[in-house]
Amino acid sequence: MYHQEEIECMSRASLEALQVDRLRWSVVHAYENVPLYKKRFDEAGIDPYRIESLNDIKRFPFIMKQDMRDAYPFGLFAVDRSRVKRIHASSGTTGQATVVGYTERDLKNWGDCFARGIAMVGGGASSTMQVSYGYGLFTGGLGAHRGGEAAGCMVVPASTGNTKRQIQLMRDFGVDILCATPSYALLIADTAIEMGYDPAKDFNVSGVILGAEPASERMRDEIRRKLGVRYCDVYGLSEIMGPGVAMECDQACGLHVAEDQFFVEIVDPDTLEPVEDGSYGELVITTLTRECSPLIRYRTRDLTRIIDEPCACGRTHRKIDRIVGRTDDMLIIRGVNVFPSQIEQVIMGCDKVAPHYRIMLSTQGGMDKAELLVETAPEFPFDEIRRLEGLRRRLESELKSNLQIAIDVKIVEPKALERSEGKSQRIVDLRETNARRAPHAPAMD
Ligand code: DLL
């Protein structure tokens, strides 16, 4: 089932022709209406009126989150104030917030992108869709909401919080599609089980549309099993639009990029040169239709690869793989580069622990101290001290051999770590100085 079959299943040749046309429009639109683009293109000696093919995009300079911060609040808007119908913003907890605006057409396109994912989990006009992403300046709630309306669903704007009530709404309204972060979907499932339900049987929910944060395969399996649902991973970022930039079909091997709306590239994060097809690198996105906040070659910092193979679902838009991390995720612990995903891999490889963990960084005696708090799997006998100690030592030795640094492991009981209703915070960095972070790491929102 498709939301817009004529677009989602377009021949590659027609799609690429459409992309070239739209790229020409977008680049000129940015150049003529946003002073920063005019300055940058002129400085680089680029003629924005001469785009022959998609390859020409490679001549253009990149734009970064810092550029958006510098332009706060409306410096990158390309339309008159009277045409801006909505704004969203990043939280700005660790730096200046970034603001993006939407015209009526931007909002319509956004709704259609998200609605494609609703069809991917089998939803449509007869669906009842509960949106348990936060509403507000964060794009999750209102983005999914608009998608639900575009698909013709009955939308339940639950937002986050009050989990027992969320469960009651799901039951009373016969909700069949749930949108939330993976952490929150799991919390909803676990709370329902604690309340005595078997959500896979007692609830009508058949599809989930989950994103805004990474989810390991184990976590996805747990959500699928506990709720008895089809899982659609939704990718997006507020700078580019919000949720719906790419969504995962039922083949579960990659997320179809809305290529009629966005042109994607993968570059080496160090050299900024394009990587070979299929290799991992940093995702760079150019908007093709956005009127209010066009972005030309935006460096997302997200690491993924392009999957350029025909998909059995019939959609022709190329896919990106699940996001494996961010270039600015990298931590420097006692001089060693560590990606949180490396720690997660060790956890996921051990069935005695649950996928609930936290990495605590602090300073002790002037040195970095790293501690991993991880919960045991529910069936693990937590009161058997010797087995617990064995498990702790096994994890410490695996971490040491995989990461080349010592990380203390503290095993905690199931449910000891606080659950999140939005994006979960896996790293708590309490070190006295942030100087040991990656030098290129911008503040994360
Ligand atoms: O998280 C938009 C969103 C809302 C996406 C709801 C999906 C669902 P930001 O707060 O700007 O926007 O955060 C964007 O979150 O650059 C990724 O690092 C991460 N992210 C988003 N979706 C995924 C995903 C929203 N499916 C940042 N898998 C992005 C992994 C994701 N990471």
Side-chain angles (χ1 to χ4, degrees):
M1 191 161 57
Y2 308 105
H3 172 62
Q4 291 169 306
E5 186 170 355
E6 65 296 351
I7 298 172
E8 293 174 79
C9 302
M10 219 175 198
S11 75
R12 285 299 309 169
S14 312
L15 182 58
E16 278 162 25
L18 180 74
Q19 284 190 307
V20 177
D21 265 1
R22 290 186 167 175
L23 181 63
R24 283 193 189 109
W25 173 82
S26 188
V27 162
V28 168
H29 175 61
Y31 181 78
E32 290 182 350
N33 296 294
V34 182
L36 180 74
Y37 283 115
K38 179 163 189 344
K39 181 166 169 282
R40 293 265 172 94
F41 297 176
D42 286 349
E43 275 168 7
I46 294 165
D47 178 357
Y49 299 96
R50 281 193 51 198
I51 291 206
E52 312 292 339
S53 74
L54 292 172
N55 225 16
D56 288 334
I57 192 68
K58 301 200 165 65
R59 296 187 283 120
F60 286 77
F62 295 99
I63 188 151
M64 317 232 328
K65 185 153 185 143
Q66 191 56 46
D67 296 313
M68 301 184 74
R69 289 196 167 117
D70 295 344
Y72 179 86
F74 305 143
L76 293 181
F77 282 15
V79 297
D80 186 71
R81 159 71 193 80
S82 62
R83 294 190 55 214
V84 185
K85 298 300 161 208
R86 180 160 355 132
I87 56 167
H88 282 282
S90 66
S91 61
T93 41
T94 51
Q96 181 63 268
T98 55
V99 180
V100 287
Y102 304 77
T103 64
E104 195 51 56
R105 207 178 83 177
D106 293 334
L107 289 171
K108 179 178 182 315
N109 286 336
W110 187 8
D112 282 327
C113 284
F114 194 94
R116 294 176 195 176
I118 296 175
M120 287 172 189
V121 290
S126 53
S127 299
T128 303
M129 188 175 96
Q130 181 157 324
V131 180
S132 303
Y133 288 117
Y135 278 64
L137 288 172
F138 175 56
T139 50
L142 283 162
H145 190 111
R146 183 82 184 204
E149 288 176 342
C153 304
M154 180 163 90
V155 183
V156 183
S159 196
T160 53
N162 203 344
T163 306
K164 288 192 173 152
R165 184 163 157 74
Q166 300 264 356
I167 291 160
Q168 188 189 345
L169 297 178
M170 280 171 73
R171 288 259 308 152
D172 294 352
F173 299 160
V175 167
D176 55 322
I177 297 177
L178 173 69
C179 304
T181 60
S183 328
Y184 198 37
L186 197 52
L187 178 61
I188 290 175
D190 285 337
T191 310
I193 293 166
E194 263 171 36
M195 288 164 76
Y197 294 116
D198 174 355
K201 291 206 189 95
D202 301 338
F203 292 9
N204 193 36
V205 61
S206 57
V208 289
I209 304 179
L210 312 183
E213 63 177 5
S216 64
E217 198 49 50
R218 256 180 76 190
M219 191 166 172
R220 290 161 55 99
D221 277 348
E222 213 173 314
I223 293 170
R224 278 197 206 100
R225 184 171 48 79
K226 287 182 172 162
L227 291 174
V229 284
R230 262 156 83 171
Y231 190 118
C232 167
D233 182 352
V234 51
Y235 170 75
L237 57 169
S238 51
E239 293 84 348
I240 289 293
M241 176 177 83
V245 173
M247 303 189 80
E248 185 187 31
C249 68
D250 62 359
Q251 301 298 306
C253 53
L255 291 75
H256 289 280
V257 175
E259 284 197 289
D260 56 316
Q261 305 288 329
F262 306 104
F263 180 71
V264 292
E265 303 166 75
I266 303 285
V267 301
D268 179 312
D270 296 322
T271 64
L272 300 181
E273 290 300 321
V275 301
E276 268 177 44
D277 261 3
S279 302
Y280 281 93
E282 181 177 337
L283 179 67
V284 171
I285 306 181
T286 296
T287 62
L288 298 177
T289 63
R290 288 200 72 188
E291 295 180 322
C292 182
S293 297
L295 284 177
I296 310 297
R297 298 198 94 197
Y298 181 70
R299 285 186 59 188
T300 64
R301 299 276 189 193
D302 288 320
L303 294 167
T304 182
R305 66 187 180 112
I306 289 180
I307 303 174
D308 189 9
E309 289 153 21
C311 185
C313 76
R315 293 177 181 84
T316 50
H317 295 212
R318 288 181 306 165
K319 294 185 282 193
I320 52 168
D321 213 333
R322 261 183 263 146
I323 305 296
V324 293
R326 291 179 53 86
T327 58
D328 49 9
D329 259 357
M330 191 178 80
L331 299 160
I332 302 184
I333 305 174
R334 292 197 289 280
V336 179
N337 297 349
V338 176
F339 280 98
S341 55
Q342 294 174 286
I343 301 180
E344 179 161 316
Q345 261 171 23
V346 172
I347 296 169
M348 297 308 155
C350 173
D351 60 5
K352 310 263 182 305
V353 291
H356 297 295
Y357 65 94
R358 190 150 302 147
I359 302 162
M360 307 287 297
L361 300 171
S362 56
T363 308
Q364 256 185 21
M367 293 279 287
D368 291 343
K369 177 173 160 37
E371 189 178 40
L372 169 70
L373 273 63
V374 60
E375 290 182 8
T376 52
E379 55 284 357
F380 188 86
F382 195 80
D383 43 5
E384 288 186 24
I385 304 294
R386 280 183 54 198
R387 289 186 64 183
L388 209 58
E389 181 55 18
L391 176 60
R392 190 183 68 74
R393 276 204 246 110
R394 173 183 151 188
L395 287 172
E396 281 187 354
S397 105
E398 279 179 27
L399 287 167
K400 174 96 198 197
S401 68
N402 285 10
L403 301 157
Q404 317 305 329
I405 53 156
I407 295 187
D408 296 339
V409 172
K410 185 169 174 197
I411 305 212
V412 296
E413 280 184 83
K415 304 203 182 78
L417 298 176
E418 199 191 328
R419 300 291 192 262
S420 164
E421 294 168 354
K423 299 191 194 226
S424 65
Q425 201 195 355
R426 301 250 192 240
I427 300 167
V428 181
D429 194 346
L430 302 172
R431 287 179 290 182
E432 280 158 17
T433 162
N434 269 345
R436 290 188 182 86
R437 277 177 167 278
H440 62 280
M444 285 264 285
D445 284 339

